Amino acid sequence: MLINNYLLIGVMEQNNSSPTSQLLASCHDLIAYFSMEIGLSHQIPTYSGGLGVLAGDTLKGIADLGVDTVAVTLLSEKGYFDQTFTDDHFQQEHDVVWEKERFMQRVPHVVEVVIEDRAVNVTAWKHILTGAGGHQVTVYFLDTNLEENAPEDRGLTSHLYGGDNTYRLRQEMVLGIAGVRLLRKLNHFPKKYHLNEGHAAFLIYELYNELHEVHDEAEKRRALQKLCSFTTHTPVAAGHDAFPVEDIYHFFKGKMPQELLASSVRDGKFSMTRLAMHFSSYINAVARKHQEVSKKMFPEYPIHYITNGVHVGTWASKPIAQLFDKHIIDWRTHNLELRNAIKIPDEELIAAHRESKELLFSYVKEKTGVDLDPEVLTLGFARRATAYKRADLLLRDIPRLKHLSNTVGKIQIIYAGKAHPRDHQGKEIIQRIRNLARELAPDISLVFLENYDMYVASLLIPGVDVWLNTPKRPLEASGTSGMKAAVNGVPSLSIPDGWWVEGGIHNITGWNIGYEFSSADDEDAADADSLYWVLEHDVLPTFYHNKKEFIQIMKRAISLNGSYFNTHRMAKQYLVQAYTRNN
Ligand SMILES: *Cc1c(COP(=O)(O)O)cnc(C)c1O
């Protein structure tokens, strides 16, 4: 069999002059990128937030660089969810309605995966991404909604992160196992499988079975390691998928190999992260600080780091992109060129940012009826609403915030963000923020935009003056919205966590919040105090009384951070460190 031959050749140190290996080389992609969610555009709602948008931005970066790659994800036919609110500001979730046929084509192939005691048929929809230089990357969206499947199985690719733990387990079987089978049917034999988070780790099960002609377990592990590269995305233990081992027995019908169980099971749970780590030659965290935390969580494995980035062509607002077109040669194909943003004339950057601000404010007016004032310092905060991100840190001391706004310089605030349907605490945070709008008026205008997605992000992030980020340390693995802000000349006001440890230089690229050694006793109070202090002494005075310096900070955000925290730099690091180096 072709597949086994290929893998065996890999095991036996490939002899490049053999006719078989040359033939095989012609259909090798360098990379197969597997991710539970991929966010390419707001019109393809198969993502929930940071992880998916990063996956989409990564593939766009890879397409710009011209690297042969295929990607595999789930169709998520009903999306994550659309967000609305009840009259008392409690989040409501609705299925997303979208027309996949407008963006993708069904492939004629169907593969089978046995889940529990039924064969589930899986097909895929194909979307082609074209990079800035014309290179194409194909993304396959797996789909189980086929008539021949049992009703229960038809729904396996309908809701992203929906259902219970066993729904997730079955979805991950589809992603990893059917994903590899489908690639084989389509004649893809990639050299590397990039597991973007543990969700995709069952692809190791499939590759392991393809290697059935190798009997030595150590040799098998080395062969798999050669093929796999793994990125971990969360420093929160609960964020790592782990399934009761009985569920693994049940849904795999006892077929999970002993070797995979031994490497993955801890305390009766089958850990997708451990499976991925044990069989990958390269393991990375997504920022330098995240590497430290990850090493402590998984001391048995060597963990490197490649700091995340964003796709500049996607996230530069229209007015900013036009400004770059005028002043920065080849910025779309060579993001490094953004270093030259430092030379853009001040008044042109102000004008482009003002345009982004007006585009945002007319959207706010249309959605909420609120008139914001473009002369007023506008803070933006939008991300998944969950406790550690502390969306409400800024609102901890309302009298102090009002006092700042009334005496030092006016402030207005725009929020957005969804809470996971089962994160009740997250929903309460949103409710509290939405309720506070009334209490802040008329001193401070606060709006909370509904249904944060890539479209809202594309207006909100470039349109505010300062991007606020207040996670509890060290729980933000990287964060990427601040990078999108930087590309648009919007400085961050941020806790030094995640990417900001690397990108934040106080009063140069933005502002740091939080004392170096804040007492752990009341971290929230200390961080809030620091936040108000920095607003009072640095952000507001610079914005209102030293415009020239504020513009320099905006420019440095682009040239120091936009030129670096992008997926061109990031994808090149993956190429050298994860994909092509012999680890
Ligand atoms: C960029 C983005 C995120 C991630 O932002 P973080 O700063 O990493 O939390 C989430 N949702 C959407 C829609 C985004 O565009």
Side-chain angles (χ1 to χ4, degrees):
M1 263 176 71
L2 200 63
I3 294 164
N4 291 320
N5 279 346
Y6 159 60
L7 289 168
L8 285 169
I9 289 165
V11 174
M12 295 185 292
E13 288 313 319
Q14 193 161 338
N15 170 3
N16 284 321
S17 60
S18 93
T20 326
S21 66
Q22 278 172 4
L23 173 74
L24 289 169
S26 62
C27 57
H28 284 180
D29 300 286
L30 183 59
I31 306 144
Y33 187 91
F34 275 66
S35 184
M36 182 85 155
E37 48 170 316
I38 295 182
L40 296 169
S41 126
H42 71 275
Q43 295 177 303
I44 307 179
T46 60
Y47 64 93
S48 78
L51 182 74
V53 176
L54 175 81
D57 278 15
T58 301
L59 293 168
K60 292 172 189 171
I62 285 175
D64 290 349
L65 298 185
V67 180
D68 289 338
T69 299
V70 289
V72 179
T73 187
L74 300 182
L75 181 61
S76 300
E77 209 172 357
K78 295 180 180 163
Y80 180 48
F81 65 87
D82 274 338
Q83 177 194 50
T84 60
F85 290 95
T86 60
D87 288 342
D88 63 348
H89 303 301
F90 205 71
Q91 173 178 296
Q92 303 288 295
E93 298 108 26
H94 313 273
D95 285 351
V96 185
V97 179
W98 63 292
E99 292 169 69
K100 56 184 179 304
E101 294 83 357
R102 278 182 61 202
F103 310 100
M104 39 189 86
Q105 274 183 321
R106 222 198 106 168
V107 302
H109 308 76
V110 176
V111 295
E112 230 182 64
V113 51
V114 175
I115 302 179
E116 208 169 8
D117 41 21
R118 291 186 301 278
V120 179
N121 295 284
V122 185
T123 187
W125 294 75
K126 166 178 161 171
H127 173 87
I128 294 177
L129 258 183
T130 303
H135 183 77
Q136 296 190 324
V137 164
T138 306
V139 185
Y140 294 105
F141 295 82
L142 302 176
D143 181 7
T144 62
N145 191 6
L146 297 171
E147 267 174 30
E148 56 268 37
N149 285 334
E152 204 185 335
D153 301 328
R154 290 185 71 163
L156 283 179
T157 53
S158 57
H159 291 95
L160 179 62
Y161 304 132
D164 60 10
N165 218 26
T166 71
Y167 182 74
R168 176 78 70 93
L169 169 57
R170 289 175 287 156
Q171 284 190 318
E172 294 185 6
M173 290 176 76
V174 171
L175 177 64
I177 303 168
V180 172
R181 289 182 187 168
L182 196 97
L183 287 184
R184 298 300 184 236
K185 274 253 166 107
L186 293 159
N187 206 26
H188 286 290
F189 298 89
K191 289 205 177 107
K192 278 284 179 195
Y193 294 79
H194 188 157
L195 286 69
N196 188 46
E197 195 47 287
H199 310 130
F202 287 143
L203 72 84
I204 290 166
Y205 167 89
E206 183 63 10
L207 297 179
Y208 183 94
N209 287 336
E210 284 185 346
L211 282 166
H212 60 83
E213 286 172 36
V214 179
H215 297 295
D216 181 70
E217 290 298 338
E219 201 179 328
K220 248 188 202 177
R221 181 177 175 203
R222 276 196 301 277
L224 286 168
Q225 283 178 319
K226 256 196 140 126
L227 289 168
C228 296
S229 179
F230 171 59
T231 303
T232 176
H233 288 268
T234 172
V236 183
H240 292 259
D241 271 350
F243 301 108
V245 75
E246 311 82 67
D247 288 352
I248 298 287
Y249 288 129
H250 180 74
F251 288 99
F252 280 82
K253 297 205 65 184
K255 295 223 172 83
M256 179 61 76
Q258 193 50 42
E259 205 61 25
L260 305 194
L261 287 167
S263 57
S264 312
V265 176
R266 281 284 187 293
D267 309 321
K269 294 245 175 143
F270 186 97
S271 156
M272 298 298 278
T273 304
R274 288 184 184 278
L275 176 62
M277 286 187 173
H278 195 74
F279 292 100
S280 294
S281 58
Y282 187 85
I283 304 166
N284 73 286
V286 292
R288 194 206 300 142
K289 173 129 180 243
H290 179 225
Q291 177 202 27
E292 278 171 38
V293 182
S294 303
K295 276 176 157 176
K296 284 187 193 135
M297 293 174 81
F298 301 97
E300 311 90 310
Y301 296 104
I303 302 177
H304 307 267
Y305 76 93
I306 294 176
T307 304
N308 282 343
V310 296
H311 186 253
V312 177
T314 299
W315 293 106
S317 72
K318 212 176 242 157
I320 292 290
Q322 282 165 356
L323 184 69
F324 291 167
D325 284 339
K326 184 168 167 202
H327 293 282
I328 304 179
I329 297 163
D330 290 343
W331 65 277
R332 285 179 197 273
T333 42
H334 295 93
N335 289 174
L336 265 175
E337 294 288 341
L338 288 188
R339 58 200 294 278
N340 292 305
I342 207 82
K343 298 180 210 160
I344 294 172
D346 288 3
E347 54 296 349
E348 292 189 42
L349 180 57
I350 298 174
H353 179 255
R354 177 71 175 226
E355 250 184 87
S356 302
K357 201 169 181 178
E358 279 161 6
L359 288 170
L360 168 63
F361 286 12
S362 52
Y363 180 81
V364 169
K365 171 79 181 167
E366 179 197 323
K367 293 289 168 185
T368 67
V370 176
D371 273 307
L372 294 174
D373 180 350
E375 299 301 324
V376 170
L377 177 91
T378 307
L379 296 173
F381 185 109
R383 37 186 69 80
R384 181 161 51 95
T386 192
Y388 84 82
K389 299 216 185 213
R390 300 190 297 188
D392 47 357
L393 193 78
L394 175 70
L395 309 174
R396 206 181 145 91
D397 185 343
I398 297 291
R400 185 163 171 189
L401 188 64
K402 280 189 182 175
H403 183 74
L404 274 182
S405 184
N406 292 335
T407 61
V408 186
K410 275 258 168 242
I411 295 171
Q412 56 197 5
I413 314 163
I414 309 178
Y415 276 103
K418 293 174 179 173
H420 184 278
R422 286 195 300 275
D423 185 353
H424 192 81
Q425 200 183 1
K427 294 183 198 179
E428 284 176 345
I429 293 171
I430 298 177
Q431 188 175 39
R432 196 155 62 242
I433 293 171
R434 289 176 61 99
N435 276 323
L436 279 172
R438 228 171 313 125
E439 207 173 308
L440 283 166
D443 306 80
I444 295 174
S445 300
L446 181 156
V447 296
F448 191 109
L449 295 172
E450 268 181 12
N451 209 31
Y452 185 50
D453 66 357
M454 288 179 73
Y455 180 70
V456 176
S458 75
L459 287 172
L460 175 56
I461 303 171
V464 298
D465 298 305
V466 173
W467 191 247
L468 182 65
N469 181 38
T470 51
K472 195 174 170 73
R473 284 167 282 182
L475 300 181
E476 191 60 83
S478 164
T480 51
S481 58
M483 301 174 185
K484 299 167 193 166
V487 163
N488 287 285
V490 174
S492 284
L493 167 58
S494 173
I495 297 272
D497 199 17
W499 82 282
W500 193 245
V501 174
E502 296 159 61
I505 313 172
H506 193 71
N507 280 325
I508 301 290
T509 58
W511 302 272
N512 287 332
I513 309 164
Y515 306 104
E516 197 60 38
F517 300 100
S518 75
S519 88
D521 298 349
D522 197 353
E523 193 179 335
D524 289 353
D527 285 345
D529 178 60
S530 168
L531 169 54
Y532 296 129
W533 200 94
V534 173
L535 274 172
E536 179 175 353
H537 294 92
D538 294 316
V539 182
L540 288 165
T542 314
F543 184 83
Y544 284 108
H545 308 299
N546 195 351
K547 265 275 153 22
K548 196 134 190 84
E549 183 51 28
F550 197 90
I551 295 156
Q552 294 316 304
I553 295 173
M554 292 173 68
K555 285 192 195 174
R556 291 187 217 113
I558 307 173
S559 58
L560 287 173
N561 286 345
S563 69
Y564 184 83
F565 295 98
N566 57 66
T567 48
H568 286 183
R569 182 269 313 154
M570 187 190 92
K572 285 181 200 166
Q573 284 186 313
Y574 275 106
L575 272 167
V576 175
Q577 291 161 230
Y579 302 153
T580 55
R581 193 174 73 176
N582 269 326
N583 292 297

